[in-house]
RNA sequence: GGCGAGGUAGCUCAGUUGGUUAGAGCACAGGACUCAUAAGCCUGGGGUCGGCGGUUCGAAUCCGCCCCUCGCUACCA
């Protein structure tokens, strides 16, 4: 059995600067990627940018740039975000790359060959200002003009030649796939939405445009540009060197283990993408996980409300691990969640500074003062020592299961509880009062505490990599030792080497406003 | 309108197939300690489990009706 794991973020449309939603999807995906590496998997973690379309073309024109040049700049912003977020993506795909063009064209040809593409006319009420088509019932007559009910902008009847994908033909196959693969769409509440949508009946999908030129041309008809979803979704396999389906990369990593996406693009990933793949006779991804949105103080972020959260600003102010931790601990993955500065501060101070950070600090500085700064060897472990260590060790299979179901919230809750326990253990054991009376027992308590700190740090590593790496470095662990299997392995400690100095891990946030 | 999810302590939520005084974290109050980032530990207050009615020896947990909130309801991504 191959220990390969392929996980993706959405590819981001770079028409604006990166926002919290982008950061969230990426961080979530990164955490799973890191965890699977801890488990010993060979991981491929992909992110990137989706760069075609009318909007980009127009923006480029406005800025007097050719679209490619314009995209180079925009995409770079997203690439630099991966560094700021401390992502471990193995690749960064751009839809303007040759490898992507090759893949999309091949997919197109496969769909033509299978008879799933036909040429027809796309017609509807189009609003230039909204850049959107409206159905008959979304339009009303007012003073002799037709306007869109939702926006009030005028609409015109437009007919455009377009290629269509026979989405309707795949309805039953899709429903069948959902039924047979119960966890294909998670969380399950979203699965219900998708199923009920498909059950209502699928219309064929317009998959080409002639109204703009910035995109991938239809192979046999250069007037047409392949429209967004068929182009964008294909990125997940173009990064695997598709159409080279015999290549190692494709063979090792397709089908993907999970596409992490926001709930707003669930339909495209849970309906269109599998339908394209079915038609192209390619295997379907194993899972699509649609997470919720990040709100700002319970409200949707908007420019007019002035409550837009800039991830970079927060990171500069509080730190990347702090943001990563908060997003995972306080936001229920799958549901919408909100960031409030007060909650963020509480979370940093309580969980990170006072709990985990201070645990490390108190144990290491005690060792420095009383054990010539070396991890003491344990004497005979007593029941309470074993109990604490086993409590963590015994939960590992459960923790792995939680991660495999993308249940990060439960995962982090359990891991944090170990840190609570360790503080209590240290407290109740009172090593300071054993200094003279029973130094052997004191050593055992310190050893046990360090062992537990190591184990907790490994489990927290996917979430707060920067900080836990510092802690593991203090006790002289190597990067290669960072594996789940080294939990409860105390033979990796070097008892002769001095501990490195640990600066304050997490600074407390003062209430300043 | 249709389909779906949910309403449990001030806040965020957990409550497996109905069963002893309904739980956790945060916030709040008090206490003992001192290794530590005045951190950690212990104790406590606080809930008619949305409302009404029903099934049952017994319901937050099952059934019915009502009230409220949220999501989805196709080609901007």
């Amino acid at each position: 059995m191959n220990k390969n794991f392929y996980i993706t973020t959405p590819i981001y449309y770079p028409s604006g600067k990166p926002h919290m939603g982008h950061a969230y999807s990426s961080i979530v995906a990164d955490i799973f990627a890191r965890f699977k590496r801890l488990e010993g998997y060979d991981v491929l973690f992909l992110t990137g940018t989706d760069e075609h379309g009318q909007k980009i073309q127009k923006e480029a024109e406005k800025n007097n740039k050719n679209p490619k040049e314009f995209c180079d700049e925009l995409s770079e912003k997203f690439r630099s975000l991966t560094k700021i977020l401390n992502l471990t993506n193995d690749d960064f795909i751009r839809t303007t790359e040759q490898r992507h063009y090759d893949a999309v064209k091949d997919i197109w040809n496969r769909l033509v060959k299978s008879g799933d593409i036909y040429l027809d006319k796309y017609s509807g009420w189009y609003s230039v200002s909204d850049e959107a088509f409206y159905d008959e019932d979304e339009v009303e007559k007012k003073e002799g003009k037709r306007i869109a009910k939702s926006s009030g902008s005028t609409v015109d009847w437009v007919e455009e030649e377009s290629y269509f994908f026979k989405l309707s033909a795949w309805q039953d196959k899709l429903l069948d796939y959902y039924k047979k693969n119960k966890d294909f769409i998670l969380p399950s509440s979203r699965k219900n939405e998708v199923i009920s949508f498909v059950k209502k009946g699928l219309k064929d999908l317009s998959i080409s445009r002639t109204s703009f030129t910035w995109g991938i041309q239809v192979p046999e008809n250069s007037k047409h540009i392949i429209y967004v979803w068929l182009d964008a979704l294909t990125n997940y396999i173009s990064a695997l060197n598709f159409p080279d389906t015999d290549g190692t990369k494709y063979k090792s990593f397709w089908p993907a283990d999970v596409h992490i996406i926001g709930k707003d693009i669930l339909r495209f990933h849970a309906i269109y993408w599998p339908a394209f793949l079915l038609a192209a006779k390619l295997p379907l991804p194993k899972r699509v996980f649609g997470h919720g949105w990040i709100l700002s103080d319970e409200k949707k972020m908007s420019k007019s409300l002035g409550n837009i959260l800039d991830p970079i600003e927060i990171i500069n102010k509080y730190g990347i691990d702090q943001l990563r931790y908060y997003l995972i601990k306080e936001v229920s993955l799958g549901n919408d969640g909100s960031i409030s500065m007060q909650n963020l501060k509480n979370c940093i101070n309580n969980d990170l500074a006072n709990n985990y950070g201070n645990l490390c600090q108190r144990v290491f500085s005690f060792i420095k003062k009383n054990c010539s700064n070396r991890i003491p060897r344990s004497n005979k472990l007593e029941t309470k020592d074993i109990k604490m260590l086993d409590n963590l060790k015994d939960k590992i299979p459960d923790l792995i299961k939680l991660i495999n179901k993308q249940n990060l919230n439960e995962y982090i809750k359990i891991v944090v509880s170990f840190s609570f326990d360790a503080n209590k253990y240290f407290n109740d054991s009172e090593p300071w009062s054993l200094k003279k009376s029973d130094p052997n027992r004191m050593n055992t308590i310190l050893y046990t505490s360090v062992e537990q700190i190591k184990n907790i740090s490994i489990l927290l590593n996917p979430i707060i990599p920067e900080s836990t790496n510092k802690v593991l470095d203090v006790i002289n662990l190597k990067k290669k030792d960072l594996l789940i299997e080294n939990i409860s392995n105390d033979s990796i400690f070097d008892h002769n080497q001095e501990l490195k100095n640990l600066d304050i891990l997490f600074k407390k946030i003062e209430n300043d406003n």
Side-chain angles (χ1 to χ4, degrees):
Chain A
M1 174 130 176
N2 283 0
K3 291 252 282 186
N4 292 328
F5 187 80
Y6 180 30
I7 183 167
T8 67
T9 74
I11 47 172
Y12 303 118
Y13 200 65
S15 61
K17 65 176 183 179
H19 57 67
M20 193 56 80
H22 300 124
Y24 185 56
S25 293
S26 291
I27 287 170
V28 165
D30 184 58
I31 288 168
F32 293 123
R34 285 175 182 268
F35 187 89
K36 293 315 264 188
R37 289 195 197 98
L38 288 188
E39 259 193 275
Y41 278 74
D42 191 2
V43 171
L44 181 66
F45 170 27
L46 178 72
T47 185
T49 44
D50 171 22
E51 306 178 14
H52 293 132
Q54 191 169 31
K55 222 180 218 167
I56 294 280
Q57 185 177 340
K58 280 191 176 162
E59 282 292 313
E61 280 163 14
K62 252 192 236 165
N63 289 280
N64 282 321
K65 291 188 174 134
N66 76 48
K68 179 58 169 56
E69 196 187 328
F70 187 63
C71 285
D72 288 346
E73 288 169 23
L74 294 173
S75 181
E76 197 47 44
K77 282 190 193 157
F78 282 81
R79 196 186 289 267
S80 76
L81 185 69
T82 65
K83 303 283 186 298
I84 294 167
L85 297 176
N86 206 355
L87 304 186
T88 54
N89 56 300
D90 302 282
D91 198 350
F92 187 100
I93 183 94
R94 299 181 53 187
T95 55
T96 47
E97 291 175 69
Q98 188 59 46
R99 56 175 172 163
H100 182 68
Y101 275 59
D102 295 343
V104 171
K105 286 188 174 173
D106 194 83
I107 281 274
W108 181 278
N109 288 334
R110 278 175 184 247
L111 300 186
V112 169
K113 202 170 157 194
S114 68
D116 284 280
I117 286 180
Y118 62 93
L119 188 61
D120 201 344
K121 275 204 177 99
Y122 184 63
S123 56
W125 295 102
Y126 186 75
S127 155
V128 177
S129 58
D130 299 350
E131 288 180 27
F133 279 92
Y134 292 101
D135 271 347
E136 198 65 48
D137 58 353
E138 292 174 306
V139 168
E140 60 186 350
K141 258 192 187 162
K142 211 173 184 180
E143 295 161 13
K145 280 190 198 165
R146 299 225 178 221
I147 61 165
K149 283 181 190 169
S150 54
S151 65
S153 58
T154 55
V155 295
D156 301 303
W157 184 255
V158 170
E159 286 191 9
E160 190 182 321
E161 191 184 61
S162 170
Y163 285 94
F164 282 81
F165 172 71
K166 281 190 191 165
L167 185 62
S168 56
W170 296 99
Q171 185 172 326
D172 294 339
K173 289 259 166 56
L174 287 170
L175 288 171
D176 195 46
Y177 188 75
Y178 303 146
K179 203 171 180 180
K180 284 187 181 140
N181 300 275
K182 291 211 178 320
D183 293 333
F184 172 60
I185 302 165
L186 286 183
S188 52
S189 54
R190 304 248 178 266
K191 173 173 140 182
N192 295 336
E193 290 174 10
V194 171
I195 290 177
S196 70
F197 183 87
V198 175
K199 277 188 175 161
K200 274 201 279 187
L202 295 172
K203 284 191 220 161
D204 289 350
L205 198 64
S206 159
I207 50 166
S208 78
R209 287 289 186 281
T210 52
S211 52
F212 60 94
T213 56
W214 178 233
I216 303 173
Q217 292 175 351
V218 168
E220 71 272 18
N221 186 343
S222 59
K223 273 199 316 205
H224 286 256
I225 296 300
I226 296 175
Y227 195 49
V228 58
W229 286 108
L230 185 53
D231 174 350
L233 289 163
T234 302
N235 91 85
Y236 298 129
I237 52 175
S238 45
L240 302 176
N241 300 328
F242 182 85
D244 181 15
T245 52
D246 292 324
T248 321
K249 219 165 185 186
Y250 181 90
K251 274 188 149 169
S252 309
F253 292 110
W254 194 256
D257 290 273
V258 54
H259 295 308
I260 301 291
I261 56 162
K263 63 178 183 180
D264 47 336
I265 52 173
L266 178 62
R267 183 188 314 141
F268 311 110
H269 283 78
I271 300 174
Y272 298 179
W273 180 225
F276 294 153
L277 290 167
L278 283 170
K281 298 181 177 63
L282 295 168
L284 272 48
K286 293 175 201 161
R287 179 167 303 166
V288 174
F289 191 98
H291 64 67
W293 284 336
I294 304 298
L295 311 175
S296 172
D297 280 323
E298 308 286 320
K299 293 185 193 85
K300 203 170 168 179
M301 288 180 227
S302 75
K303 281 181 191 155
S304 57
L305 283 171
N307 64 348
I308 296 206
L309 292 170
D310 181 349
I312 296 173
E313 240 171 66
I314 291 182
I315 291 165
N316 288 339
K317 195 163 174 192
Y318 299 110
I320 177 58
D321 277 1
Q322 285 83 344
L323 176 63
R324 289 172 66 112
Y325 186 88
Y326 177 85
L327 288 175
I328 302 314
K329 176 80 188 321
E330 298 293 317
V331 177
S332 159
L333 187 65
N335 296 118
D336 291 352
S338 72
I339 294 193
S340 83
M341 287 307 121
Q342 192 55 50
N343 286 346
L344 179 62
K345 283 175 192 170
N346 285 344
C347 184
I348 293 171
N349 289 350
N350 293 326
D351 284 26
L352 294 178
N354 294 347
N355 198 315
Y356 173 70
N358 188 52
L359 171 69
C360 297
Q361 201 68 35
R362 71 198 297 202
V363 170
F364 295 154
S365 69
F366 196 96
I367 289 176
K368 188 171 185 180
K369 283 180 193 162
N370 301 291
C371 310
S372 58
N373 205 19
R374 289 169 175 84
I375 300 169
R377 288 176 198 282
S378 63
N379 291 285
K380 194 167 179 288
L381 295 183
E382 291 185 5
T383 313
K384 68 186 289 195
D385 312 330
I386 295 167
K387 203 176 155 193
M388 178 176 72
L389 295 173
D390 279 358
N391 188 28
L392 183 150
K393 191 177 144 195
D394 294 345
K395 280 267 166 54
I396 298 298
D398 287 344
L399 289 172
I400 291 173
K401 272 186 208 152
L402 288 172
I403 291 292
N404 287 341
K405 284 193 288 189
Q406 282 75 45
N407 193 340
L408 274 179
N409 301 104
E410 193 60 25
Y411 175 86
I412 200 168
K413 225 163 107 183
I414 291 171
V415 175
V416 167
S417 77
F418 297 143
S419 183
F420 276 73
D421 294 349
N423 266 314
K424 180 171 164 53
Y425 168 85
F426 197 78
N427 235 72
D428 294 353
S429 307
E430 297 184 37
W432 50 90
S433 62
L434 296 168
K435 263 187 261 185
K436 292 207 172 115
S437 61
D438 191 351
N440 282 339
R441 179 63 193 145
M442 180 190 81
N443 282 343
T444 302
I445 288 157
L446 292 172
Y447 156 79
T448 307
S449 300
V450 174
E451 169 71 18
Q452 192 71 344
I453 284 174
K454 180 206 74 188
N455 295 339
I456 293 167
S457 299
I458 291 175
L459 292 174
L460 282 178
N461 185 262
I463 299 161
I464 48 171
E466 198 176 275
S467 316
T468 49
N469 280 340
K470 278 188 206 164
V471 172
L472 295 170
D473 185 51
V474 167
I475 54 176
N476 299 304
L477 287 198
K478 306 280 180 298
K479 275 239 164 72
K480 66 173 175 55
D481 295 325
L482 194 57
L483 290 168
I484 296 283
E485 66 185 50
N486 276 330
I487 283 177
S488 291
N489 168 13
D490 63 359
S491 62
I492 56 175
F493 286 141
D494 183 343
H495 296 274
N496 297 315
Q497 204 173 346
E498 280 198 45
L499 297 187
K500 297 199 183 83
N501 204 45
L502 180 67
D503 295 329
I504 294 293
L505 260 189
F506 303 99
K507 266 201 276 188
K508 299 235 293 196
I509 312 298
E510 305 294 332
N511 257 325
D512 55 7
N513 43 305

